[in-house]
Amino acid sequence: MKMKIVKPALVAGAIACTAIAAACSNSAPEEVGGVETSAPKEKPSLSISIYDRGNVPQEMGTIDNNRWTKWLNENGPVNGKYVPIPRGEAVQKLNLLFASGDAPDVVFEFDTRFRDQMYQQKMIMPVDELIEKSSTEYKQLLQKYPEIKKAATKPDGNMYEFGRVSPLVGFQALFIRQDWLDKLGLQAPQTTEELFEVAKAFTEQDPDGNGVKDTFGIALSGETGGTINTMFRNVTWVVEDGKLVRGWKQENAANAFKKRLYDAGLVDKDFLADKNGQKAQQDWNNGKIGIFVGRTIDLVNFNQYYEQLKNNVPTAEVKAIKLPESEFGRFVIGVNNPVQMTTIINAKTKDPEAAMAYIDFMASRTAGEMLRFGQEGVDSVKGSNGCLQPIDAEKFNKEVSWNIDFQLLLSRVELGACTDIQSQLDPSKPLEQDFLRLIKENNEANLSADVEYAPITYGEHMPTLPEELNMINSNVSKIADLYNKAIVSGPSYTIEQAFNEAQDLWNKSGGDKLEAFYSDWYGNNSEKAFLAKDMWKFVKN
């Protein structure tokens, strides 16, 4: 009988296959040739939601299978299966997934009301013990910024949410045309009465010098109209004598001021039709509005609120100023939310430790810098300011900048100044240098010691209403329509008439129940909730 010859290479391969098979089936140490070795552990699998904004370049793949999902799976602690959630209907989609028992293990969602609903329905997991026993990165973040716990804690005293921490900076900015002020011999308004007089001059004294009365003093739609509310602390719920009450006086005063502007012809008469403020934006960019609210928080704001104006009106000079003072005080126009909750863990997840490990990784500096700047030497290179800058802006936009929804646990406060908009502007370019000045002016205006944040806290940190009060809240929201009617109706329908009808609607709708809810909440939580005083701990110096 002829013997079969087994070649040495095949023997070695067989030994290797045996070893690999053992490693795959048993991760415990074993002895090979008398030496104890540790086989690599297989990563746990985890389902993870990801917003789908339809913004992934075709050559980069899809939102659930692309360069960054691959990088996260190769470098992170889990094999993530990403579940696309359409951004425009995220809450509806997530509600369906939770109702059917198919919700992802880790869910990213900005909507405070949705997260609270999941808490009330016991769909999400309390995480205090999980963090204490299993976390590394996020646990350190909590120890460094205990305000996170305030923001994440629900009424039962447990944390249910994870979030990110950012420096507090100016978000909105009150822009004024400095060249118009100079031409008319005026100063920037310090009070609401001076604001009215400046708006009147901007409308009536031909500040653009074209011989035509075609300018508006101030916008009344979009964020500018909302800012007039802020000037008068018209933020619905205000603290008086230590109690949280509805601010009727503030609401009347803000709307009376808007009506004065309208009746005097200092604003666009069609402002109510400008639902999203786009018409006012066009007027600002075309040099036809003298006072306007824009933003200075993101690179896109440079083009949206400044570059287009300068392209259309090269002589335009813009300044960012403090909100004028009203009889209710002087207030901050708008800042970002420094402690933003973004993430929850499905109560039905089978591997909470894996979810915690994923959250730790996503909150780490390693993941944060890679997702934000891409790979150094490939996507970015350090610029003269020491910050990573795109090597090729177009390539960077295509391959990196769309991944923002993978950054919902990135705490910019930990990554430092290189994540600020300032680090992305080039001071050698005159327009970008101008916008750097506007950012500085706006931060000085918003964060100075003599201004106050008008609401008691950022909107996302206000308590969410129980279901039985939502209908009442929806009904009384029609009060805004009554005041808008008064603004545009001249003497035939006054602010006083709107106020009387508003109070009648409030009382008939059960507004007293809303008052009782907010009053009780504030009375029981004013010391432990995340309020404005907590926000100001994150002011960037």
Side-chain angles (χ1 to χ4, degrees):
M1 182 178 177
K2 189 175 180 180
M3 290 184 63
K4 185 177 180 180
I5 298 174
V6 179
K7 296 182 179 178
L10 294 178
V11 173
I15 293 172
C17 285
T18 303
I20 291 170
C24 290
S25 61
N26 184 0
S27 61
E30 61 177 288
E31 283 193 353
V32 177
V35 178
E36 185 175 277
T37 62
S38 293
K41 290 184 178 180
E42 188 173 352
K43 290 181 182 180
S45 294
L46 205 67
S47 57
I48 303 154
S49 76
I50 181 73
Y51 285 136
D52 186 355
R53 299 175 190 262
N55 62 346
V56 182
Q58 187 174 6
E59 55 269 45
M60 296 300 295
T62 58
I63 191 63
D64 56 333
N65 183 18
N66 55 66
R67 173 185 178 184
W68 297 108
T69 58
K70 292 172 184 171
W71 184 86
L72 290 169
N73 283 346
E74 290 169 2
N75 296 277
V78 304
N79 282 313
K81 177 190 175 187
Y82 287 87
V83 180
I85 304 294
R87 181 64 187 101
E89 48 191 63
V91 169
Q92 299 95 310
K93 176 71 174 178
L94 288 169
N95 268 323
L96 287 173
L97 291 174
F98 271 101
S100 63
D102 296 324
D105 297 302
V106 175
V107 174
F108 291 98
E109 175 52 51
F110 286 119
D111 193 298
T112 303
R113 185 172 179 76
F114 169 77
R115 298 195 309 271
D116 197 62
Q117 174 195 333
M118 292 297 102
Y119 156 73
Q120 292 183 27
Q121 296 175 355
K122 302 187 185 305
M123 295 284 198
I124 57 176
M125 182 177 292
V127 295
D128 301 70
E129 188 176 347
L130 182 64
I131 293 172
E132 182 60 32
K133 291 183 176 178
S134 303
S135 177
T136 54
E137 295 280 346
Y138 198 81
K139 187 176 181 179
Q140 290 177 17
L141 199 68
L142 264 174
Q143 291 168 346
K144 194 170 181 180
Y145 307 106
E147 291 79 11
I148 299 173
K149 184 169 185 175
K150 277 189 170 185
T153 299
K154 295 297 184 185
D156 69 359
N158 293 314
M159 287 189 290
Y160 285 81
E161 300 172 339
F162 299 89
R164 59 184 178 182
V165 187
S166 304
L168 185 77
V169 294
F171 186 87
Q172 294 176 308
L174 182 60
F175 293 137
I176 193 166
R177 285 286 298 271
Q178 181 65 46
D179 55 320
W180 287 11
L181 286 173
D182 293 342
K183 180 177 181 180
L184 301 178
L186 300 170
Q187 299 293 317
Q190 299 299 313
T191 66
T192 50
E193 194 56 36
E194 290 180 10
L195 175 68
F196 182 88
E197 294 302 325
V198 169
K200 185 175 173 64
F202 281 179
T203 305
E204 298 177 349
Q205 297 183 28
D206 191 23
D208 61 354
N210 67 352
V212 181
K213 187 179 176 182
D214 60 352
T215 54
F216 297 120
I218 187 171
L220 207 51
S221 59
E223 295 185 31
T224 315
T227 295
I228 292 174
N229 289 332
T230 304
M231 289 180 203
F232 291 87
R233 202 173 213 160
N234 178 24
V235 292
T236 307
W237 299 102
V238 298
V239 177
E240 290 183 359
D241 300 325
K243 296 182 178 179
L244 195 61
V245 300
R246 197 178 194 289
W248 290 104
K249 295 191 299 288
Q250 293 84 350
E251 190 165 25
N252 283 343
N255 285 296
F257 186 77
K258 292 178 185 179
K259 185 173 176 62
R260 278 186 71 198
L261 292 169
Y262 186 90
D263 287 347
L266 312 185
V267 299
D268 186 346
K269 292 285 186 184
D270 295 325
F271 81 95
L272 286 177
D274 185 20
K275 299 292 185 186
N276 57 10
Q278 286 302 302
K279 170 65 165 48
Q281 173 78 67
Q282 291 171 10
D283 287 341
W284 168 258
N285 288 342
N286 289 326
K288 296 302 177 186
I289 287 183
I291 303 168
F292 180 77
V293 171
R295 297 183 178 187
T296 57
I297 193 75
D298 196 280
L299 198 57
V300 71
N301 301 151
F302 165 67
N303 172 266
Q304 188 173 3
Y305 298 109
Y306 190 66
E307 190 177 32
Q308 291 188 50
L309 168 65
K310 291 292 286 187
N311 287 341
N312 293 327
V313 189
T315 56
E317 294 179 20
V318 179
K319 188 176 179 62
I321 63 172
K322 287 181 186 177
L323 287 194
E325 183 176 9
S326 72
E327 62 266 43
F328 300 99
R330 193 161 202 173
F331 302 105
V332 175
I333 179 173
V335 295
N336 62 308
N337 180 5
V339 179
Q340 185 179 35
M341 297 293 103
T342 61
T343 311
I344 49 182
I345 298 178
N346 189 339
K348 292 183 177 178
T349 186
K350 295 177 181 176
D351 195 343
E353 287 77 16
M356 189 68 250
Y358 178 76
I359 288 167
D360 268 342
F361 183 69
M362 298 303 280
S364 71
R365 191 182 190 93
T366 300
E369 288 185 331
M370 179 59 79
L371 292 167
R372 186 101 180 166
F373 304 114
Q375 186 178 351
E376 186 173 358
V378 175
D379 303 298
S380 305
V381 64
K382 284 188 177 173
S384 57
N385 61 0
C387 296
L388 287 171
Q389 309 280 351
I391 294 174
D392 180 323
E394 186 176 347
K395 180 173 179 289
F396 189 87
N397 288 337
K398 185 178 293 183
E399 298 186 7
V400 182
S401 62
W402 52 267
N403 78 22
I404 55 171
D405 290 318
F406 291 94
Q407 302 175 29
L408 300 194
L409 286 166
L410 186 162
S411 286
R412 288 182 44 233
V413 73
E414 288 293 284
L415 296 192
C418 287
T419 62
D420 294 344
I421 176 179
Q422 292 94 320
S423 72
Q424 302 165 51
L425 291 164
D426 184 351
S428 69
K429 298 177 180 176
L431 289 188
E432 295 188 30
Q433 175 64 51
D434 279 355
F435 204 68
L436 283 166
R437 171 187 54 79
L438 284 172
I439 294 168
K440 184 172 184 290
E441 287 176 354
N442 189 43
N443 280 331
E444 289 174 350
N446 269 299
L447 307 177
S448 64
D450 61 341
V451 299
E452 181 184 358
Y453 194 59
I456 61 167
T457 187
Y458 202 85
E460 293 176 14
H461 299 295
M462 285 292 283
T464 55
L465 290 170
E467 194 58 38
E468 63 269 22
L469 297 184
N470 279 328
M471 183 63 74
I472 296 174
N473 199 45
S474 177
N475 288 337
V476 299
S477 67
K478 297 170 186 170
I479 286 174
D481 297 335
L482 298 173
Y483 281 110
N484 281 336
K485 178 182 172 184
I487 291 169
V488 300
S489 295
S492 67
Y493 188 75
T494 65
I495 293 294
E496 289 72 23
Q497 288 172 286
F499 171 61
N500 291 334
E501 284 200 45
Q503 284 212 309
D504 187 51
L505 175 61
W506 181 263
N507 293 331
K508 288 178 177 174
S509 300
D512 59 324
K513 295 187 173 90
L514 293 176
E515 290 177 306
F517 171 82
Y518 283 110
S519 177
D520 289 347
W521 175 82
Y522 187 74
N524 294 323
N525 293 279
S526 61
E527 297 301 319
K528 54 188 178 184
F530 183 85
L531 300 181
K533 64 180 186 299
D534 299 301
M535 294 171 61
W536 253 249
K537 295 176 183 176
F538 297 93
V539 168
K540 182 184 177 185
N541 295 315

